[in-house]
């Protein structure tokens, strides 16, 4: 994964997400982090609990379709127990070494 995703903040986010590690995930985010899903602003805590942690969310980093913006944007398969697998895009805004915002959605 690190060969394609080179931004340390994004790597911390993805690693924590795939490990289901809530504490490490929160530590990868700024205190005021925000996010959107398919262009709609979402409550970060509610969304991540529902779409990631309670449903065993997983980003397939072995099959990244594309990586851009220094590793801050990529397309790959995201899967969870609720929706199954789907092709998704991810874009991250990094501030002070942490994720300040991420945007995701179907690709």
């Amino acid at each position: 994964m690190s060969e394609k995703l080179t931004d340390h903040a994004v790597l911390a986010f993805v690693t924590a997400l795939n490990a289901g590690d809530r504490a490490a995930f929160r530590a990868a985010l700024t205190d005021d982090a925000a996010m959107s899903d398919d262009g709609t602003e979402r409550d970060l805590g509610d969304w991540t609990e529902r779409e990631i942690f309670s449903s065993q969310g997983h980003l397939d980093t072995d099959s990244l379709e594309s990586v851009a913006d220094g590793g801050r944007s990529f397309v790959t398969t995201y899967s969870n127990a609720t929706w199954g697998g789907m092709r998704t895009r991810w874009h991250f805004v990094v501030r002070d070494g942490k994720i300040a915002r991420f945007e995701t959605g179907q690709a």
Side-chain angles (χ1 to χ4, degrees), residues 18-105:
N18 283 348
D21 187 335
R22 287 174 176 87
F25 186 84
R26 283 191 297 270
L29 304 172
T30 63
D31 290 340
D32 62 345
M35 60 90 51
S36 69
D37 181 9
D38 283 326
T40 302
E41 293 298 311
R42 305 289 184 184
D43 178 277
L44 180 66
D46 290 343
W47 189 90
T48 56
E49 185 58 36
R50 183 180 63 254
E51 299 292 337
I52 297 173
F53 299 112
S54 294
S55 61
Q56 298 87 41
H58 183 80
L59 278 164
D60 183 355
T61 56
D62 293 327
S63 300
L64 293 168
E65 279 186 44
S66 64
V67 179
D69 193 25
R72 292 182 179 178
S73 295
F74 59 85
V75 173
T76 195
T77 299
Y78 180 75
S79 59
N80 67 26
T82 303
W83 305 108
M86 66 185 80
R87 186 174 175 258
T88 57
R89 59 175 169 67
W90 295 78
H91 175 73
F92 299 88
V93 175
V94 176
R95 185 176 71 234
D96 299 327
K98 294 187 174 194
I99 303 298
R101 177 176 181 75
F102 68 93
E103 299 169 358
T104 188

